[in-house]
Amino acid sequence: MTKVVTFGVFDYFHYGHLKLFERAKAMGDYLIVAIQAEEYILKYKPDAQILYSQEQRMELINALEVVDEVAVYTDIDKSIKEIDFDVWAKGEDQNHAGFQAAEKWALEQGKTVKVLPRTPNISTTKIRQQLIKD
Ligand code: CTP
């Protein structure tokens, strides 16, 4: 069984997130979605105005048929070592130093890392800005 993992915040759950999950699942048999713990979101994005709590994000994502398991991660370079997976479906924007270190580790372990392009014209930031405007 090929286990695929993908990491992200997934606040303001949107169509781009769903498409990412579908494309990730198509790369294997079992999809693990790792959501970032609330205090760590603020560590990396101090101005993030969080809508859904960690528990709510877990509940939303767990309810999706395409998702087999939901996990919580903290620092990507540490958490990557704690999840049992074969393929990492990595977002094209996931490039900061922690993600680079995690990718290096994954490749050294013989795991597959596939970069998935973003779905155009939709993002958490865009939704948040639209809500503020209205
Ligand atoms: N993602 C995607 N297509 C989009 C938006 C996000 O494929 N239109 C992917 C990202 O590449 C990442 C994952 O979803 O792999 C989690 O992204 P997240 O940061 O939670 O959502 P964004 O909408 O990118 O949030 P922000 O606007 O704050 O960057």
Side-chain angles (χ1 to χ4, degrees), residues 13-112:
F13 187 80
H14 61 65
Y15 188 72
H17 295 151
L18 179 64
K19 290 289 119 185
L20 172 74
F21 295 168
E22 287 174 354
R23 285 180 287 151
K25 180 68 174 266
M27 290 159 49
D29 313 296
Y30 187 90
L31 176 62
I32 305 160
V33 176
I35 66 161
Q36 194 165 35
E38 194 149 334
E39 65 268 34
Y40 284 81
I41 300 175
L42 296 172
K43 179 175 163 186
Y44 290 101
K45 294 183 181 174
D47 57 346
Q49 292 158 296
I50 297 166
L51 174 65
Y52 293 125
S53 69
Q54 186 174 307
E55 289 68 30
Q56 287 171 324
R57 286 180 290 128
M58 287 184 84
E59 199 179 330
L60 272 163
I61 292 168
N62 222 352
L64 300 171
E65 209 170 291
V66 69
V67 176
D68 297 289
E69 185 181 328
V70 181
V72 176
Y73 78 100
T74 55
D75 292 313
I76 182 69
D77 49 336
K78 289 195 197 106
S79 299
I80 190 105
K81 300 178 183 172
E82 292 159 7
I83 293 177
D84 174 28
F85 72 96
D86 306 293
V87 179
W88 175 10
K90 183 172 167 286
E92 64 175 344
D93 47 283
Q94 299 186 317
N95 282 322
H96 72 60
F99 277 103
Q100 286 173 26
E103 180 169 1
K104 185 169 176 284
W105 177 85
L107 292 172
E108 282 166 5
Q109 302 304 307
K111 297 179 189 289
T112 302

